[in-house]
Amino acid sequence: MAKFYLIILYLNYALLLTTVLLGVWRYTIFAKKERQYTVYIVFLFLIELLNLSLPYVFDLQDTSFLYPIYIAGEFFLLTTLFIQKLDLSKIWLFLVSLLSLSFLIGKYAFDFPSNPDIAKVVSNIVIICLSGFILIREIRRSQKTENRFLLADSSVFFYYSVSVFIFIIQHQIANLSENSYYILLSANNILSSILYGTFLYTFIKLKK
């Protein structure tokens, strides 16, 4: 099972890198609001790159300090993206920015919350709700406007919905067998690959 996990993991990394390169290359053809999809995927790539490189470059065996940055970053990028697409008041952008910054300050300065997994679950639920609202609106407008990122929004909704379910299961089961642990990790990587794949497909088919 460990070999299967590694195969999926490396394929996942390759797909993420390909998506990032294409997103950056085609960045200028995206509308202003659409460009944040590229920023989001680049952010995920940088987090993965740091997780992989820091142990070798700086001999850091523990990169868990990146976890709060990952939580706050994905929350900020996706919620502000969806808030703008929903044409909500700018006060929501301010509140989301303040919440993300407060989480980072609270975690690094005061170790609050002591368990960042709580913030991860709450963050995912908020992302699921906003992406769900986006999908409902886009489906209703499907015959009136072109939904260039409908597939990407759908994949975000699907990824975070299933991921939070896997995340909760993983933490509810105290003693996972090695095979079960690798199965859950592989499932999460497959979900990530689906997310990156839909972004890649969207980036490929977009025109000016």
Side-chain angles (χ1 to χ4, degrees):
M1 210 53 223
K3 290 183 178 179
F4 175 74
Y5 160 72
L6 289 175
I7 292 172
I8 297 297
L9 180 64
Y10 291 136
L11 289 175
N12 192 48
Y13 286 153
L15 187 57
L16 175 58
L17 177 60
T18 304
T19 306
V20 167
L21 293 176
L22 184 61
V24 171
W25 180 51
R26 308 203 71 191
Y27 184 80
T28 56
I29 75 169
F30 300 157
K32 185 177 180 180
K33 292 180 182 179
E34 296 172 347
R35 291 177 178 178
Q36 195 150 329
Y37 287 98
T38 299
V39 177
Y40 164 69
I41 209 72
V42 168
F43 170 78
L44 295 183
F45 172 76
L46 291 176
I47 291 293
E48 293 289 354
L49 182 62
L50 288 172
N51 267 320
L52 289 172
S53 62
L54 287 179
Y56 297 100
V57 177
F58 296 104
D59 197 27
L60 289 175
Q61 301 306 314
D62 183 10
T63 59
S64 60
F65 66 91
L66 292 172
Y67 189 45
I69 298 175
Y70 165 67
I71 295 172
E74 70 169 358
F75 174 76
F76 172 77
L77 291 172
L78 286 177
T79 52
T80 53
L81 169 64
F82 292 141
I83 286 171
Q84 291 180 73
K85 291 188 71 172
L86 288 167
D87 297 317
L88 300 180
S89 170
K90 289 185 178 180
I91 188 64
W92 291 105
L93 296 175
F94 172 76
L95 291 175
V96 165
S97 302
L98 182 62
L99 185 60
S100 301
L101 183 60
S102 298
F103 167 69
L104 289 176
I105 294 174
K107 184 58 187 175
Y108 288 120
F110 308 104
D111 193 27
F112 179 82
S114 58
N115 184 3
D117 288 342
I118 298 174
K120 172 65 175 173
V121 172
V122 173
S123 168
N124 281 17
I125 291 173
V126 173
I127 292 171
I128 291 167
C129 292
L130 288 175
S131 59
F133 285 132
I134 285 288
L135 289 178
I136 292 172
R137 192 188 70 168
E138 290 185 344
I139 290 171
R140 287 179 175 176
R141 293 183 176 182
S142 61
Q143 295 180 348
K144 300 178 182 179
T145 60
E146 181 183 5
N147 301 297
R148 287 157 52 100
F149 277 82
L150 179 60
L151 184 60
D153 292 336
S154 301
S155 69
V156 169
F157 177 80
F158 174 74
Y159 171 77
Y160 284 95
S161 296
V162 181
S163 287
V164 75
F165 177 71
I166 293 176
F167 188 80
I168 292 172
I169 288 180
Q170 180 180 335
H171 284 71
Q172 288 297 317
I173 302 175
N175 298 311
L176 284 174
S177 66
E178 183 177 349
N179 277 344
S180 297
Y181 180 70
Y182 280 121
I183 287 173
L184 286 176
L185 289 179
S186 298
N188 191 65
N189 284 326
I190 290 172
L191 287 173
S192 297
S193 295
I194 293 172
L195 178 69
Y196 305 151
T198 55
F199 271 63
L200 180 63
Y201 175 76
T202 301
F203 291 162
I204 290 173
K205 74 182 184 68
L206 283 183
K207 299 178 181 179
K208 292 184 179 181

